[in-house]
Amino acid sequence: MKIAIAGTGYVGLSLATLLAQKYEVIALDVIPEKVEKINKRISPIADEYIEKFFKEEKLNLRATLDYKDAFEGAKFVIICTPTNYDDKTNFFDTSLVEDIIEKVISMDDPSITMVVKSTIPVGYIESIKDKYVIDNIFFSPEFLREGQALYDSLYPSRIIVGEKSERAEEFAHLLDECALKENIDIKYMDPTEAEAVKLFANTFLALRVSYFNELDTYAELKGLNTKDIIDGVCLDPRIGNYYNNPSFGYGGYCLPKDTKQLLANYKDVPENMINAIVESNKTRKQHIADMILSKKPKIVGVYRLTMKSGSDNFRSSAIQGVMENIRSKGVEILIYEPTIKDDSFEGYKVEHDLTKFKKKSNVIIANRFDDILEDVREKVYTRDLFRNN
């Protein structure tokens, strides 16, 4: 069986690697450098398991820039292109998803089944079926952690497919067969319910992050030991010891856009909590900035823009919101981020020499602490109490 994957970000590349263990997989991307790296078995993203599989496993995987090459003869085309949230329209920008859909339609092969893995608004698949007068498409949400995407594909928490059909069962079998985990829960449902599962699951995680961040804000301002409080709270098995490490706010690929999209879907539905989650994240970033500004620094050093350790992604990272709030007060900001090769980023200065960065900075903020900062610990402001992501 030939399977095409459109998009080679965290979701696309992890799925391509997973399925290429047993099937012919063609990965499509528009960036030549990424295609070249994949064909040379060099991972274009930071993911320990993908890097390991690229080196050690025999994968029937090839990347291409040509959509016809990718789609011709494919049983499934899995769409994993990004859907960034557009704050002007209060909706996901699904233009890249629709571009792939239109390319598949142009192949004039109704035997191709499209599976959307990109995060989409509730009701999107049904609207696409009406718009293009097609039926060969369904949605299957992904639940992957950044930097551990392949691991989460090999050991999935569950497999959800937004269709009740033989082809849906066949697709679920592919994921189940290539995974290493046994007895995976598989759930079939209508597409709109599957779309809702994705948004509600990520919004709950955002709620949990926000809850422990607000606990930390209270403890910090009242002079209490946050870690002791969290340890005591989380000993309750109903609460559990996860997603409880304070941070500068939630960020990254999924949580910021998914919470906003869910809130937009509540336009005509009574609610208080969903809006509060979105606002809580803004409040947290402002609080962090206020704590830094209270130290009256001349130069604030920002150690890493990435959301978490072991990641190379800093899209929508919470620390950038903190930086904006600090810069609005006229305080100079200096960034240390090894993945940035230029001398500036979004108008901020970038220092490539870590020693110089430490010396120039009056205060260093770090969403996640690194032992490399131990020698300037007195300068570092972080809320990373448990040293985990």
Side-chain angles (χ1 to χ4, degrees), residues 198-218:
K198 174 69 170 180
L199 296 185
F200 275 102
N202 277 345
T203 301
F204 180 82
L205 295 177
L207 166 64
R208 191 172 171 100
V209 171
S210 297
Y211 180 87
F212 285 104
N213 279 342
E214 290 206 1
L215 183 161
D216 178 56
T217 297
Y218 178 86

Side-chain angles (χ1 to χ4, degrees), residues 102-147:
E102 290 170 0
K103 284 181 168 63
V104 173
I105 292 172
S106 74
M107 299 296 292
D108 195 26
D109 183 356
S111 70
I112 298 174
T113 297
M114 290 175 276
V115 183
V116 178
K117 282 286 187 180
S118 307
T119 305
I120 51 180
V122 178
Y124 181 76
I125 291 296
E126 293 295 351
S127 70
I128 286 296
K129 288 181 177 180
D130 291 340
K131 178 178 180 178
Y132 293 103
V133 194
I134 59 174
D135 189 53
N136 60 328
I137 185 169
F138 59 79
F139 175 64
S140 176
E142 276 299 333
F143 307 96
L144 306 178
R145 292 170 297 172
E146 184 182 313

Side-chain angles (χ1 to χ4, degrees), residues 315-366:
R315 184 171 70 174
S316 298
S317 60
I319 201 167
Q320 292 187 62
V322 174
M323 291 161 56
E324 291 170 9
N325 291 334
I326 293 173
R327 180 165 64 175
S328 70
K329 299 301 182 181
V331 177
E332 183 179 347
I333 289 177
L334 185 65
I335 297 172
Y336 176 77
E337 175 52 65
T339 64
I340 297 176
K341 305 306 177 186
D342 297 329
D343 293 328
S344 65
F345 171 81
E346 302 289 339
Y348 300 102
K349 293 180 182 179
V350 175
E351 174 57 67
H352 301 287
D353 187 302
L354 181 59
T355 301
K356 292 180 179 179
F357 166 79
K358 292 177 178 178
K359 187 174 182 179
K360 291 178 181 178
S361 304
N362 303 123
V363 175
I364 296 173
I365 60 175

